[in-house]
């Protein structure tokens, strides 16, 4: 009986509590929905952009001089053989038809069949583009991921401390060092690292050749030098942006207010400036991460790393159009996705957008 | 308030021979030149002066703080036995936000946009462990209630952009009060507010400092405001003390000529003249920004050679009315008549001659001029565009215009950055005048200026009106300015015209409800004004 009364009173209290918080939950949901709608809208826009980019990729590849059949068959081939081979590859169809066939199959998840492995005698040892691209893409993403895990926290740390101790010797040294590494060509940074860390003091291997069977520890060991090279290349940009974004905010009246409320310098930077600086910082991080995926071919060549950059360069040389198109599309999607992420971070860290009036 | 200073109280703050230098143009200039200041517990001191007088710098120095680019070069700041001039940053940080609190001019800019109001309110109290966080939060709610904020229980969970400017200013007062400081520095806390809001904020701040017997330094350029708040007043000019006296004595018997001149500015008043010949009129105008409708059925006519003042608080549609007249915002419905003929609603459909007839002067002279152009180019442009003057003729005319605005040919090659605030606004007037307009629309042209400079600009505008028979549409929220310059008054509220007519009619009873509220909210130079007003309103 007593128990019953207790539970009854409890449930009443609970009910009241729920009742009391209900409007705010509702409001919260409405806000979340608004943010979700914005994100979906951006996602849609991203897809539209990707569609436009696919057109640009296709038409610019069509403008490449020569084609695969001429590259394979050589100067001596007769008109008929070339024509027959072109027909087999589907290159005889008009450009718009080929474009829509390509887009159509990509939408169904089919990146097509590589040209290489075929020859005029009818032998066909060609492979699916996805089989060629995917392992390479994973390798590239692995290297990019390792680099990002080192570079982003490092850049944030250096940027924040440089802002905290701005105009001190520390600030100047950090600025000068990062500027030096960004101004040096990446292949040069790579060779310097090889010289010191692989040749003079052989800590890491100078070759980063990995394959599907390499285990994680070995992989990490082998990508150490390329990851270090890329870190040195991208850290400066992110660090300087972090520092600038924070220092830019330090002139705001609310920072002076925080100071006059007795906040210490580190509290000012971390609690009062940083939450308002995420948007520009996220943008520049996204930009650099995209670079890690699409711009690392030089580093891949130096360390003989089987990434997607090398694959694309090879495919362009041999006019393997389906592979080139697939790589270009992946690069475009990377840029769009990372920038989208930066936009979303900008939205969720801005109370004006997250909590409208 | 406004008790006579009670010498028996313990001295809380004593500043002696304060000297502060500021760095600009690559050298150090003195900003404060040896000022003394004494404040006892529970006293409120008013610090007044024009911009550049150093009052804000002195107010912050009372906390031992100097802005970046400034340095304390001499003097002592004894706060309850601690010399803040010599204290380390760590020692000062212990006092800031706990025993000495600061209330800034622009609450909207001084709250961190990323944090909720309640978190910012209790930040100092929690950091120094004055009481447990939960207690601070409960106490903050009580402070919100005492400051008459709406929904005191929940307003703290909002972000700064979600509440109005007047509310933010009260939250900031709660923030300052949360650790129960001994001293609060109020740095122009109501300058950015509308008069109707200002009254509420002033009353709330006064009650709460009285309740907790907190000492305060109240910095402002508005004499009538300081009269309501302070027990005694110190007048600053060029970083030096002009005079200091108890409030009542200061208001009735100022001794120094400078103080007297400050007091006399508000006396400017133009006799009204009724106008007959209507030069421009808008009839039944509705206007909107996108889906947001801002003007509802507004009709205003401007008689030639007269001044029509449009008054109302921010958001009442004053500036939108001006945008409709100039064609910047074509109205949804309604007509615009100019010299008896319809004027095309959109700017791009108007002829050069029609454009020439209506000119504008803006509130912020700084942003209304290209910082890279010389005075000659700025004023010369309309001469070339409308009147086709070039070369020598143009230069002569620019000099002539400069003389009209009481400047001279030596200003020809100056850039806007080399001019004072008042001079900049004069250049803008000359630019408007260069087109030989019938109508000049003045949008809050004096509100960013000091009172003495304001007086000069208003006198200039009146003289030009007399000489060239110019019509003014004068947008302002300041009733003293209205009295000084207008023939007719239009009162606007929420996009509607509440009342319009000759100055004498509008400013004498009976008043419609809103006009009554607006007029009664304008602070008067009477220390008892606020007390009496609040008594009258609650009755």
């Amino acid at each position: 009986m007593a128990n019953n009364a207790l539970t009854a009173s409890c449930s009443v209290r609970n009910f009241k509590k729920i009742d009391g918080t209900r409007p705010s939950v509702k409001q919260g949901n409405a806000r979340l929905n608004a943010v979700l709608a914005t994100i979906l809208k951006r996602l849609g826009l991203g897809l539209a952009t990707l569609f436009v980019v696919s057109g640009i990729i296709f038409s610019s590849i069509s403008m490449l001089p020569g084609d695969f059949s001429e590259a394979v068959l050589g100067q001596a081939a007769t008109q008929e053989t070339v024509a027959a081979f072109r027909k087999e590859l589907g290159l005889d169809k008009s450009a718009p038809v080929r474009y829509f066939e390509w887009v159509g199959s990509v939408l169904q998840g089919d990146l097509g069949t590589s040209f290489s492995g075929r020859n005029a005698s009818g032998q066909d040892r060609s492979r699916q583009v996805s089989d060629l691209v995917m392992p390479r893409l994973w390798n590239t993403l692995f290297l990019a991921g390792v680099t990002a895990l080192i570079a982003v926290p490092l850049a944030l740390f250096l940027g924040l401390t440089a802002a905290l101790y701005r105009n001190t010797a520390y600030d100047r040294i950090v600025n000068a060092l990062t500027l030096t590494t960004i101004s040096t060509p990446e292949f040069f940074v790579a060779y310097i690292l090889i010289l010191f860390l692989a040749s003079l003091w052989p800590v890491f291997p100078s070759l980063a050749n990995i394959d599907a069977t390499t285990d994680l520890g070995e992989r990490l060991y082998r990508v150490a030098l390329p990851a270090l090279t890329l870190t040195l290349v991208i850290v400066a940009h992110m660090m300087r942006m972090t520092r600038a974004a924070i220092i830019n905010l330090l002139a705001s009246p609310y920072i002076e207010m925080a100071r006059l409320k007795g906040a210490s310098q580190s509290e000012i930077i971390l609690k009062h400036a940083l939450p308002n600086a995420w948007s520009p910082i996220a943008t520049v991080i996204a930009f650099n991460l995209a670079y890690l995926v699409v711009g690392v071919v030089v580093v891949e060549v130096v360390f003989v790393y089987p990434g997607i950059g090398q694959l694309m360069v090879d495919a362009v040389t041999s006019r393997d159009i389906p592979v080139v198109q697939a790589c270009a599309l992946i690069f475009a999607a990377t840029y769009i996705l990372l920038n989208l992420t930066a936009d979303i971070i900008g939205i969720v860290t801005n109370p004006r957008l997250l909590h409208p009036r | 308030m406004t008790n006579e200073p009670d010498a028996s109280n313990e001295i809380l703050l004593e500043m002696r021979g304060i000297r502060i230098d500021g760095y600009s143009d690559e050298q150090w200039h003195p900003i404060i030149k040896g000022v003394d200041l004494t404040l006892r517990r529970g006293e409120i001191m008013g610090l007044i002066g024009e911009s550049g007088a150093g009052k804000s710098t002195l107010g912050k120095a009372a906390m031992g703080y100097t802005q970046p680019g400034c340095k304390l070069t001499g003097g002592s700041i004894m706060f309850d036995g601690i010399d803040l001039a010599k204290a380390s940053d760590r020692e000062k940080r212990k006092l800031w936000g706990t025993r000495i609190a600061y209330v800034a001019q622009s609450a909207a800019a001084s709250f961190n946009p990323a944090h909720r109001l309640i978190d910012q309110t209790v930040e100092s109290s929690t950091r120094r462990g004055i009481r447990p966080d939960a207690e601070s939060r409960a106490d903050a709610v009580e402070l919100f209630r005492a400051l008459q904020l709406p929904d005191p229980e929940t307003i703290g969970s909002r972000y700064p952009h979600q509440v109005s400017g007047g509310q933010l200013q009260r939250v900031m007062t709660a923030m300052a009060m949360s650790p129960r400081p001994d001293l609060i520095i109020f740095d122009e806390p109501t300058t950015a507010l509308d008069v109707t809001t200002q009254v509420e904020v002033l009353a709330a701040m006064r009650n709460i400092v009285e309740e907790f017997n907190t000492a305060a330094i109240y910095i402002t350029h508005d004499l009538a405001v300081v009269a309501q708040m302070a027990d005694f007043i110190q007048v600053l000019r060029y970083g030096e003390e002009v005079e200091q006296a108890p409030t009542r004595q200061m208001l009735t018997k100022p001794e120094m000529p400078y103080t007297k001149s400050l007091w006399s500015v508000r006396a400017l008043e133009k006799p009204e003249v009724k106008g007959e010949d209507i030069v421009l009129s808008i009839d039944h105008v509705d206007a909107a920004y996108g889906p947001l409708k801002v003007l509802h059925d507004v009709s205003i006519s401007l008689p030639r050679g007269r001044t029509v003042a449009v008054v109302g608080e921010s958001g009442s549609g004053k500036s939108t009315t001006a945008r409709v007249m100039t064609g910047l915002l074509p109205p949804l419905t309604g007509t615009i008549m100019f010299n008896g003929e319809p004027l095309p609603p959109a700017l791009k459909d108007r002829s050069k001659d029609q454009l020439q007839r209506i000119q504008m002067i803006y509130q912020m002279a700084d942003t209304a001029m290209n910082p890279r152009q010389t005075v000659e180019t700025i004023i010369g442009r309309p001469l070339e565009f409308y009147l086709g003057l070039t070369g020598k003729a143009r230069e002569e005319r620019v000099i002539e215009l400069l003389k009209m605005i009481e400047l001279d040919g030596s200003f020809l090659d100056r850039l806007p950055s080399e001019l004072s605030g008042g001079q900049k606004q004069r250049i803008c007037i000359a630019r408007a005048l260069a087109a030989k307009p019938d109508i000049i629309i003045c949008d809050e042209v004096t509100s960013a200026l000091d009172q003495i400079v304001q007086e000069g600009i208003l006198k200039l505008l009146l003289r030009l009106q007399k000489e060239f028979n110019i019509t003014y549409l004068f947008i302002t929220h300041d009733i003293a300015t209205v009295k000084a310059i207008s023939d007719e008054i239009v009162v606007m509220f929420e996009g509607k015209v509440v009342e319009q007519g000759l100055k004498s009619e509008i400013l004498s009873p009976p008043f419609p409800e809103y006009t009554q509220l607006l007029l009664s909210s304008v602070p008067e130079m009477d220390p008892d004004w606020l007390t009496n007003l609040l008594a009258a309103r609650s009755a």
Side-chain angles (χ1 to χ4, degrees):
Chain A
M1 201 53 202
N3 243 344
N4 260 350
L6 196 67
T7 37
S9 78
C10 269
S11 68
V12 165
R13 204 177 292 151
N14 280 345
F15 177 74
K16 261 187 186 162
K17 212 174 180 184
I18 291 166
D19 203 27
T21 53
R22 196 184 285 157
S24 70
V25 169
K26 239 186 206 167
Q27 259 183 336
N29 280 343
R31 278 174 200 152
L32 213 59
N33 287 340
V35 171
L36 221 57
T38 320
I39 292 173
L40 286 177
K41 211 159 72 187
R42 294 287 167 93
L43 210 57
L45 273 174
L47 283 177
T49 316
L50 201 56
F51 193 71
V52 174
V53 171
S54 75
I56 297 172
I57 292 172
F58 185 85
S59 49
S60 51
I61 288 174
S62 307
M63 277 184 258
L64 282 176
D67 69 9
F68 183 74
S69 42
E70 279 165 14
V72 169
L73 299 175
Q75 297 282 328
T78 61
Q79 287 283 319
E80 289 77 29
T81 3
V82 172
F85 194 47
R86 286 178 60 95
K87 187 165 181 172
E88 196 193 317
L89 294 174
L91 290 174
D92 58 330
K93 295 175 193 160
S94 71
V97 172
R98 277 185 287 140
Y99 172 69
F100 284 110
E101 279 182 3
W102 173 55
V103 169
S105 51
V106 167
L107 283 179
Q108 293 166 32
D110 175 15
L111 291 170
T113 314
S114 161
F115 285 176
S116 65
R118 301 185 201 217
N119 60 33
S121 60
Q123 272 181 313
D124 187 355
R125 281 177 285 133
S126 62
R127 298 165 63 191
Q128 287 292 309
V129 170
S130 51
D131 291 346
L132 283 171
V133 169
M134 280 308 159
R136 296 296 196 99
L137 178 61
W138 284 124
N139 287 347
T140 294
L141 290 180
F142 179 73
L143 176 57
V146 172
T147 311
L149 282 180
I150 305 170
V152 173
L154 181 67
L156 286 180
F157 174 78
L158 289 177
L160 289 175
T161 46
L164 188 57
Y165 304 110
R166 64 186 186 286
N167 302 330
T168 61
Y170 173 81
D171 182 26
R172 288 198 196 100
I173 290 169
V174 167
N175 262 309
L177 279 183
T178 50
L179 260 188
T180 314
T181 59
I182 204 179
S183 328
T184 319
E186 2 181 344
F187 70 88
F188 191 69
V189 175
Y191 285 130
I192 295 278
L193 286 178
I194 287 176
L195 175 67
F196 284 102
L197 293 178
S199 186
L200 292 177
W201 296 281
V203 188
F204 295 114
S206 64
L207 292 186
N209 51 338
I210 59 169
D211 57 45
T213 61
T214 323
D215 67 39
L216 182 67
E218 185 66 20
R219 269 174 193 252
L220 285 174
Y221 174 61
R222 294 207 183 165
V223 300
L225 282 189
L228 204 55
T229 310
L230 289 172
T231 299
L232 289 178
V233 171
I234 64 169
V235 116
H237 196 191
M238 294 190 286
M239 171 259 152
R240 291 172 71 83
M241 192 63 191
T242 307
R243 179 182 179 274
I246 298 281
I247 288 181
N248 191 22
L249 290 176
L250 291 185
S252 318
Y254 61 81
I255 296 293
E256 177 169 79
M257 189 71 216
R259 192 161 283 143
L260 292 176
K261 277 163 72 182
S264 66
Q265 188 69 6
S266 54
E267 246 181 307
I268 284 171
I269 302 255
L270 293 175
K271 194 172 162 195
H272 289 277
L274 188 59
N276 293 291
W278 278 126
S279 182
I281 295 175
T283 308
V284 71
I285 289 179
F287 181 82
N288 280 286
L289 293 189
Y291 169 80
L292 286 180
V293 175
V294 310
V296 295
V297 62
V298 174
V299 173
E300 286 176 8
V301 169
V302 172
F303 292 99
V304 202
Y305 186 78
I308 199 170
Q310 275 208 41
L311 177 70
M312 185 174 180
V313 171
D314 292 345
V316 169
T317 323
S318 64
R319 299 287 181 274
D320 192 346
I321 289 167
V323 174
V324 178
Q325 285 176 344
C327 291
L329 207 57
I330 286 170
F331 290 171
T334 308
Y335 258 105
I336 290 168
L337 208 64
L338 284 169
N339 278 303
L340 184 73
T341 315
D343 277 0
I344 291 170
I345 289 174
I347 292 170
V348 297
T349 56
N350 185 343
R352 282 171 193 275
L353 299 174
L354 202 58
H355 307 275
R357 289 184 81 100
Chain B
M1 196 83 356
T2 66
N3 318 314
E4 298 299 304
D6 179 359
S8 66
N9 274 355
E10 181 195 348
I11 289 179
L12 179 67
L13 176 76
E14 190 162 31
M15 300 169 79
R16 285 282 162 268
I18 296 300
R19 294 180 176 277
I20 295 173
D21 285 3
Y23 193 78
S24 65
D25 301 329
E26 300 184 13
Q27 51 180 326
W28 291 95
H29 304 274
I31 297 179
I32 305 285
K33 304 160 188 164
V35 176
D36 296 345
L37 187 158
T38 307
L39 192 67
R40 291 164 196 279
R41 283 192 184 274
E43 271 182 349
I44 300 184
M45 147 181 208
L47 202 54
I48 65 168
E50 300 173 60
S51 58
K55 52 193 191 302
S56 192
T57 309
L58 186 64
K60 284 175 186 160
M63 307 178 71
Y65 175 79
T66 48
Q67 279 167 299
C70 293
K71 65 177 181 192
L72 189 70
T73 55
S76 66
I77 308 162
M78 295 303 291
F79 173 80
D80 206 15
I82 310 164
D83 188 355
L84 296 178
K86 294 197 181 76
S88 70
D89 275 358
R90 183 183 292 268
E91 286 172 288
K92 283 188 278 191
R93 275 209 300 275
K94 270 188 202 155
L95 297 177
W96 293 349
T98 50
R99 297 193 59 200
I100 314 178
Y102 178 76
V103 175
Q105 173 170 7
S106 167
S110 298
F111 270 105
N112 192 323
H115 299 299
R116 295 180 194 271
L117 294 173
I118 187 93
D119 296 334
Q120 303 194 48
T121 306
V122 302
E123 189 186 342
S124 301
S125 305
T126 302
R127 181 188 304 117
R128 297 291 173 207
I130 287 182
R131 50 181 117 70
D133 189 58
E135 273 178 41
S136 287
R137 283 168 195 270
D139 174 69
V141 169
E142 290 314 308
L143 287 172
F144 292 157
R145 202 187 310 280
L147 287 160
Q148 291 172 357
L149 281 159
D151 307 321
E153 305 282 345
T154 55
I155 195 168
S157 64
R158 299 202 207 161
Y159 284 90
H161 69 274
Q162 291 175 309
V163 304
S164 72
Q167 290 168 0
L168 269 186
Q169 203 70 57
R170 276 178 275 172
V171 175
M172 185 169 277
T173 307
M175 179 164 90
M177 200 48 91
S178 167
R180 301 292 184 275
D182 300 314
L183 170 64
I184 300 186
I185 315 286
F186 289 100
D187 194 353
E188 306 240 16
T190 62
T191 307
L193 303 178
D194 284 315
V195 280
T196 45
T197 322
Q198 175 172 272
V199 171
E200 296 164 21
V201 175
L202 281 178
M205 286 190 307
R206 200 174 75 169
N207 286 343
I208 204 143
V209 289
E210 222 163 43
E211 188 182 333
F212 295 111
N213 197 30
T214 315
I217 297 179
Y218 196 99
I219 300 164
T220 179
H221 66 267
D222 191 332
L223 299 162
V225 165
V226 86
Q228 311 311 314
M229 299 297 291
D231 301 319
F232 65 102
I233 295 176
Q234 178 169 353
V235 183
L236 279 188
R237 189 186 197 193
Y238 304 139
E240 283 171 291
E241 179 185 312
V242 176
E243 67 175 310
Q244 176 176 328
T247 301
R248 279 175 201 282
Q249 185 189 330
M250 188 70 123
L251 289 178
T252 47
K253 296 188 287 284
E255 284 179 3
M256 306 302 290
Y258 174 70
T259 318
K260 284 180 189 155
S261 78
L262 272 180
W263 265 236
S264 68
V265 168
R266 292 184 162 250
L268 189 66
E269 187 159 354
K270 170 194 164 172
E272 71 180 23
V273 186
K274 198 167 155 47
E276 300 296 336
D277 172 23
I278 301 298
V279 56
L280 181 111
S281 63
I282 57 172
D283 288 302
H284 303 293
V285 160
D286 282 15
Y289 294 112
L292 181 70
K293 204 165 170 196
V294 267
L295 291 186
H296 308 269
D297 195 25
V298 171
S299 304
I300 294 175
S301 21
L302 309 183
R304 187 180 299 280
R306 304 284 176 267
T307 305
V308 176
V310 182
V311 293
E313 46 197 279
S314 52
S316 61
K318 308 183 301 271
S319 292
T320 310
T321 308
R323 288 172 67 84
V324 167
M325 287 182 182
T326 52
L328 288 168
L329 181 74
L332 296 176
T333 56
T335 53
I336 309 171
M337 301 290 284
F338 182 71
N339 283 335
E341 286 175 26
L343 196 62
L347 192 65
K348 61 175 170 31
D349 301 326
R350 295 190 183 174
S351 69
K352 206 173 185 177
D353 180 61
Q354 285 166 334
L355 293 179
Q356 186 187 343
R357 302 274 147 229
I358 306 176
Q359 293 293 316
M360 266 201 90
I361 311 172
Y362 298 88
Q363 174 173 5
M364 304 301 284
D366 267 319
T367 52
M369 288 189 287
N370 186 331
R372 299 247 168 232
Q373 289 182 347
T374 60
V375 165
E376 182 175 6
T377 319
I378 291 169
I379 303 179
R381 174 68 190 152
L383 292 176
E384 203 175 312
F385 181 73
Y386 290 120
L387 308 170
L389 292 181
T390 50
K392 197 75 197 155
R394 192 180 83 154
E395 191 187 317
E396 277 167 14
R397 178 65 185 154
V398 172
I399 293 175
E400 212 175 307
L401 285 162
L402 282 174
K403 285 190 179 136
M404 277 181 214
I405 56 165
E406 293 149 19
L407 300 176
D408 57 52
S410 67
F411 283 83
L412 280 181
D413 295 324
R414 297 232 198 145
L415 291 170
S417 56
E418 297 165 320
L419 304 171
S420 72
Q423 287 169 343
K424 282 177 201 167
Q425 200 55 287
R426 281 169 192 261
I427 300 297
C428 288
I429 294 173
R431 175 173 64 182
L433 215 55
K436 298 195 170 166
D438 293 344
I439 300 168
I440 298 182
I441 296 177
C442 307
D443 192 352
E444 303 269 11
V445 293
T446 54
S447 19
L449 302 172
D450 286 317
Q451 299 202 356
I452 291 180
V453 184
Q454 271 188 28
E455 187 189 20
I457 296 283
L458 291 177
K459 280 184 174 160
L460 171 69
L461 286 170
L462 286 174
R463 196 189 52 148
L464 293 172
Q465 179 168 53
K466 223 180 240 170
E467 277 175 40
F468 303 104
N469 202 29
I470 302 171
T471 311
Y472 293 131
L473 179 79
F474 206 94
I475 296 169
T476 183
H477 64 268
D478 181 30
I479 303 293
T481 312
V482 170
K483 283 181 185 155
I485 195 159
S486 69
D487 299 290
E488 293 188 14
I489 299 177
V490 177
V491 183
M492 289 190 74
F493 180 63
E494 292 183 347
K496 297 192 188 80
V497 172
V498 178
E499 204 185 359
Q500 60 180 313
L502 287 172
K503 174 163 61 178
S504 55
E505 294 165 9
I506 302 290
L507 295 182
S508 53
F511 302 113
E513 196 181 340
Y514 178 70
T515 314
Q516 167 75 40
L517 178 71
L518 191 67
L519 292 177
S520 70
S521 300
V522 179
E524 287 168 20
M525 298 274 279
D526 165 11
D528 300 322
W529 168 79
L530 185 60
T531 314
N532 295 341
L533 176 73
L534 293 175
R537 282 195 185 169
S538 64

